Amino acid sequence: MGTKRESGRRRPIVVGVALAVAAAVVAAGLLLFEPWKLWTDETVSEALPTGAPAAPAAPGTSGGSGTSGAPSAAAAQPPQTVARGTFISHEHETKGTAKVVRLADGSHTLRLEGLDTSNGPDLRVWLTDAPVKPGTEGWKVFDDGKHISLGKLKGNKGDQNYEIPAGLDLATYTSVTIWCDRFSVSFGAAELAKA
């Protein structure tokens, strides 16, 4: 008789512990997968930066050219696309164009135009040395070799710019991927070819 009473008292405790464990698993899953991002879009609409060179010093001052204030040749140079590629889909359908643009001051930026991909947890923009492969064999190749993160993806739709670090050997980095760092998978990628 005492055994039945004890098991009757333990049952609510066991059920309570099971419910607490289940709630913790659900909460961890929500934090890990962030499923609400599948139904939300973040659109970015950035203009291409000009990278205007510094204004020349006034004539007669240190560092001045002594000219009559004519604009420098660098100031007349518009941004130039030096490499470009079109996104293909990997884990998620991805569309748009990636361009490496040399700005008037000599710096480089990666520009994503017309990007349209899924939102997701911990998405990054990477330059890599990996070849872009279609299908599932291309999903996980980008962290095998050289890669550099240009930062978090600003939005899963629209036009956006990512500064490329000075001195980076652009000949080494031949592709760009929208990389899900949390699950080590490419959402989409573009092979960069010289423009």
Side-chain angles (χ1 to χ4, degrees):
M1 185 132 170
T3 311
K4 282 186 179 180
R5 252 188 233 158
E6 285 177 18
S7 67
R9 289 181 193 150
R10 283 191 213 139
R11 185 167 292 143
I13 294 171
V14 171
V15 169
V17 169
L19 288 173
V21 168
V25 168
V26 168
L30 288 173
L31 289 174
L32 184 64
F33 290 98
E34 299 180 17
W36 55 88
K37 287 194 171 185
L38 293 173
W39 296 282
T40 60
D41 289 325
E42 294 176 43
T43 301
V44 175
S45 184
E46 292 182 330
L48 178 65
T50 60
T61 61
S62 173
S65 62
T67 63
S68 61
S72 70
Q77 287 288 326
Q80 282 187 302
T81 300
V82 297
R84 67 179 293 137
T86 301
F87 278 99
I88 67 167
S89 300
H90 280 144
E91 172 71 22
H92 293 267
E93 184 176 357
T94 302
K95 299 174 187 172
T97 304
K99 296 179 179 178
V100 175
V101 180
R102 183 174 46 243
L103 304 177
D105 63 2
S107 66
H108 289 85
T109 192
L110 177 71
R111 179 155 174 86
L112 306 182
E113 291 183 340
L115 180 68
D116 187 355
T117 190
S118 297
N119 208 343
D122 207 13
L123 295 180
R124 307 287 171 160
V125 177
W126 281 10
L127 284 176
T128 80
D129 67 349
V132 175
K133 299 177 182 178
T136 56
E137 72 178 76
W139 290 14
K140 296 184 177 275
V141 299
F142 298 100
D143 59 350
D144 294 342
K146 288 184 180 180
H147 58 273
I148 182 164
S149 177
L150 300 182
K152 284 190 167 196
L153 184 68
K154 296 174 183 178
N156 63 306
K157 294 185 181 297
D159 304 329
Q160 46 207 278
N161 306 303
Y162 297 87
E163 183 180 341
I164 296 175
L168 190 70
D169 180 9
L170 292 173
T172 301
Y173 296 92
T174 57
S175 61
V176 59
T177 180
I178 307 303
W179 185 255
C180 180
D181 220 18
R182 183 161 302 159
F183 297 106
S184 298
V185 68
S186 172
F187 273 33
E191 191 84 40
L192 295 172
K194 288 185 179 177

